[in-house]
Amino acid sequence: MTEPGLPRLPARDLCGTMLVHRRLLNESSTYRSRRALIENRALLYERGRLAPARTGVVTIPVVVHVVHAVPEHDITDEQIHSQIDVLNQDFRAANPDVVKVPDPWKPLVADARVEFRLATRDPGGEPTGGVIRVATDVRDFTWDDAVKATATGGSDPWPSDRYLNVWVCRLGGGLLGYAQFPGGPPQTDGVVILHSAFGVTGTAAPPFDGGRTATHEIGHWLDLYHIWGDDDGACAGDDKVDDTPNQAGSNQGSPRFPRVTCGNGPHGDMFVNYMDYTDDAAMFMFTRGQATRMNACLEGERASFLVAPESRVPVAPARTAVPEMRQPVHDGEVRRLLHDSERLTAEVLDDIRVALGMVGDRE
């Protein structure tokens, strides 16, 4: 039920990620340069010139900032845990509704080998439940990142190279959520989700009560674009992934298979993909190509999450006495971290050399 005097729940999914992306492209030459490097790396993975190095599952620590103006929007721990459960099913292709993927696309369903858990240590090494609750005077936030700073009525992020920051709040303008692509400013890195489109219980309201808004936005955080390429129906853009059909625009509701646009028959739009705009109950999959692109991100711009980010011990300021370490880093761990750092540096140099070689070798 919608509270009296408050905006109604959005009638369709609406994501503000591309608004943020375009703003950063216009404002920041650093962001433009980093995005170019990220896209070059993704292209190398897509064409098989670089292969994923990791073989196991990466677990990403999550901190959830619950920013609320009224007690009803201070979502429960149960609702938060329900969202983590959905993410762990969706990114591992373990969601029960994956069986609803139309037969032509079943071979493309991918396990991204990414899992999520609420943080157990805060940036200072202290035990935590991974949830920050902040009361605010701001009734509605939008995609301007105000929710990501205490100074503007929100909650300051934890270090974005060690935690996935998720802000849950009331959003205006019909937004269900938005994310920041990799390569943006660390102080605003993370995803923002509407309180009534988060998890599967509590304030979660149909048709966005399946936890798929967070799956969609974290897809962006791992460098996935909208499946239709955000080209306003021109059929000229795409999501930079080969195994997702080009389509004219976003789909809403629960379309019937097949839905053909842009001459993409016989199977049509892949509206069951998490990166479309369909209802939560109508999206079921990532593809192999999308998993490859996420791998390029995790072994590139977000490689810090592959080196046990939450186990790092904070360095004490030089002017203070060194406190007793609660989690000592053993020699073996130090050697492993150094090895990973050297490997990632070598990969970046290899990327640059290969990218230079591709200038005269573009297909």
Side-chain angles (χ1 to χ4, degrees):
M1 178 180 294
T2 304
E3 297 99 305
L6 297 180
R8 295 179 61 83
L9 187 73
R12 68 196 262 304
D13 194 350
L14 183 60
C15 166
T17 297
M18 292 305 293
L19 297 172
V20 174
H21 176 57
R22 290 163 182 155
R23 171 173 58 80
L24 289 173
L25 287 174
N26 288 332
E27 294 176 353
S28 172
S29 60
T30 299
Y31 182 70
R32 291 194 296 272
S33 298
R34 294 185 75 166
R35 288 302 306 168
L37 290 173
I38 291 166
E39 289 299 342
N40 284 339
R41 184 183 183 90
L43 182 61
L44 294 174
Y45 275 67
E46 182 181 5
R47 293 186 174 179
R49 299 193 180 191
L50 282 178
R54 71 184 181 101
T55 57
V57 176
V58 59
T59 301
I60 296 178
V62 178
V63 54
V64 178
H65 306 258
V66 182
V67 182
H68 56 95
V70 296
E72 291 78 10
H73 299 163
D74 185 12
I75 64 173
T76 66
D77 286 350
E78 179 186 9
Q79 187 168 347
I80 293 169
H81 284 283
S82 76
Q83 180 63 76
I84 298 296
D85 290 342
V86 170
L87 294 175
N88 287 333
Q89 290 181 344
D90 289 352
F91 280 84
R92 296 302 312 278
N95 47 304
D97 52 6
V98 74
V99 299
K100 299 179 182 179
V101 172
D103 287 342
W105 296 324
K106 279 184 166 65
L108 299 179
V109 173
D111 174 0
R113 292 180 295 133
V114 179
E115 294 182 355
F116 304 85
R117 64 173 172 80
L118 291 172
T120 57
R121 296 277 172 178
D122 70 14
E126 298 292 337
T128 181
V131 179
I132 306 298
R133 299 181 183 277
V134 175
T136 183
D137 293 330
V138 180
R139 286 175 57 85
D140 296 296
F141 290 95
T142 185
W143 54 273
D144 63 359
D145 290 334
V147 73
K148 301 176 181 179
T150 301
T152 48
S155 178
D156 293 333
W158 288 8
S160 58
D161 62 336
R162 297 166 57 189
Y163 305 91
L164 165 55
N165 286 276
V166 177
W167 288 269
V168 181
C169 63
R170 183 185 170 87
L171 288 169
L175 282 175
L176 290 189
Y178 69 94
Q180 181 173 290
F181 282 119
Q187 66 271 21
T188 51
D189 193 28
V191 305
V192 180
I193 310 292
L194 176 69
H195 72 283
S196 58
F198 190 80
V200 302
T201 187
T203 62
F208 308 116
D209 56 347
R212 264 57 193 271
T213 299
T215 301
H216 177 103
E217 299 304 342
I218 293 172
H220 285 313
W221 184 80
L222 289 172
D223 205 31
L224 298 184
Y225 285 98
H226 290 137
I227 195 170
W228 66 93
D230 291 278
D231 63 355
D232 297 322
C235 294
D238 62 19
D239 62 350
K240 306 182 189 297
V241 175
D242 281 345
D243 62 2
T244 58
N246 190 22
Q247 65 185 55
S250 62
N251 288 287
Q252 292 87 41
S254 298
R256 295 185 63 180
F257 175 82
R259 184 177 190 278
V260 177
T261 65
C262 293
N264 60 11
H267 307 315
D269 296 0
M270 191 183 280
F271 54 80
V272 296
N273 195 284
Y274 294 128
M275 302 313 294
D276 207 335
Y277 268 7
T278 47
D279 292 347
D280 282 15
M283 50 175 61
F284 320 119
M285 67 178 290
F286 290 118
T287 68
R288 294 175 182 267
Q290 287 174 317
T292 296
R293 187 173 173 90
M294 286 189 272
N295 264 322
C297 173
L298 283 166
E299 295 184 0
E301 187 68 19
R302 299 209 184 280
S304 59
F305 288 95
L306 301 183
V307 290
E310 215 180 350
S311 68
R312 300 176 203 160
V313 177
V315 177
R319 65 179 179 273
T320 64
V322 177
E324 179 183 354
M325 290 185 177
R326 289 177 167 79
Q327 288 185 302
V329 179
H330 301 292
D331 290 343
E333 178 71 5
V334 172
R335 285 195 298 270
R336 187 177 70 79
L337 291 173
L338 288 173
H339 172 75
D340 288 337
S341 178
E342 291 168 357
R343 177 181 62 79
L344 293 169
T345 300
E347 284 186 4
V348 170
L349 293 175
D350 287 342
D351 287 358
I352 294 171
R353 284 193 289 269
V354 174
L356 289 174
M358 289 173 59
V359 172
D361 185 35
R362 290 189 177 274
E363 298 178 5

